[in-house]
Amino acid sequence: MRNDIVDILLEIGIPAGVKGFTYIYDALELFDTDTYYSNGKICSLYADIAKKRGTTASSVERAIRHAFETATTKGNREVVEQYLDLVNTQNSNLLRTLYLRLKQKEKRHHIPENGCTMQNCIYKQQIYQEAVDKVSAEMSSYLFKLIESTRKNPETVDQLLGLY
């Protein structure tokens, strides 16, 4: 999910150079590791990020708000609407919405237990067919050699059939 976070933050228009970018990244990672934060403990979230980054909770809150404001005013509108709630623009709501949408995206792109997405299955089918063709060609070659050797030496057939 880490790469997805960076990609989405950049895609929605949050500049990588603003502090809020890093703080949002940290917040989403904390959401992913501890449900305590995603279930509403945003003040604790700010405090923990601040502690980690050597700043204050109010600076974290303000930087996140600025980053989201930049995205909603200057970012790619379609992408912003896809990942953020533009009606309730409180940090806590935007963080949760972004986190939930990232998780939805992750589930959509997750390979099922049987390991088969459509493209994946096509590749597997091609690989299996190539393997079957190769084994079949080798078996035909061995069978041909066996037939030739039994024509020259009929006792070989008896030995193979266990009649010796």
Side-chain angles (χ1 to χ4, degrees), residues 51-78:
K51 189 177 191 181
K52 176 181 177 181
R53 298 290 177 180
T55 188
T56 65
S58 63
S59 293
V60 170
E61 185 275 330
R62 191 171 41 256
I64 289 174
R65 185 172 5 97
H66 172 71
F68 280 134
E69 284 173 0
T70 302
T72 57
T73 58
K74 297 178 183 176
N76 180 336
R77 191 71 173 178
E78 286 181 30

Side-chain angles (χ1 to χ4, degrees), residues 16-155:
V18 300
K19 290 179 183 177
F21 184 98
T22 305
Y23 299 157
I24 292 170
Y25 180 90
D26 291 343
L28 295 174
E29 276 198 323
L30 287 170
F31 276 16
D32 206 35
T33 57
D34 191 345
T35 58
Y36 174 77
Y37 300 108
S38 60
N39 288 331
K41 307 305 178 202
I42 297 299
C43 289
S44 297
L45 178 75
Y46 295 151
D48 289 346
I49 293 170
K51 189 177 191 181
K52 176 181 177 181
R53 298 290 177 180
T55 188
T56 65
S58 63
S59 293
V60 170
E61 185 275 330
R62 191 171 41 256
I64 289 174
R65 185 172 5 97
H66 172 71
F68 280 134
E69 284 173 0
T70 302
T72 57
T73 58
K74 297 178 183 176
N76 180 336
R77 191 71 173 178
E78 286 181 30
V79 179
V80 169
E81 289 174 354
Q82 183 181 353
Y83 288 98
L84 300 176
D85 177 2
L86 297 178
V87 175
N88 180 353
T89 57
Q90 294 177 337
N91 281 358
S92 58
N93 185 58
L94 292 173
L95 286 169
R96 281 190 206 98
T97 302
L98 180 57
Y99 175 71
L100 293 172
R101 300 250 167 94
L102 277 164
K103 292 306 267 183
Q104 284 177 334
K105 181 181 177 187
E106 188 177 85
K107 285 182 183 177
R108 281 193 303 269
H109 291 95
H110 179 70
I111 296 176
E113 274 188 38
N114 67 4
C116 247
T117 62
M118 179 61 93
Q119 191 64 35
N120 191 339
C121 284
I122 290 169
Y123 290 141
K124 279 186 176 182
Q125 183 181 10
Q126 290 171 346
I127 291 168
Y128 290 148
Q129 189 60 52
E130 289 174 15
V132 166
D133 291 347
K134 183 155 179 74
V135 168
S136 177
E138 286 182 27
M139 293 299 289
S140 294
S141 173
Y142 289 131
L143 184 58
F144 179 75
K145 289 177 185 175
L146 178 63
I147 291 170
E148 287 300 311
S149 71
T150 56
R151 284 186 187 162
K152 295 176 185 173
N153 190 357
E155 304 87 50

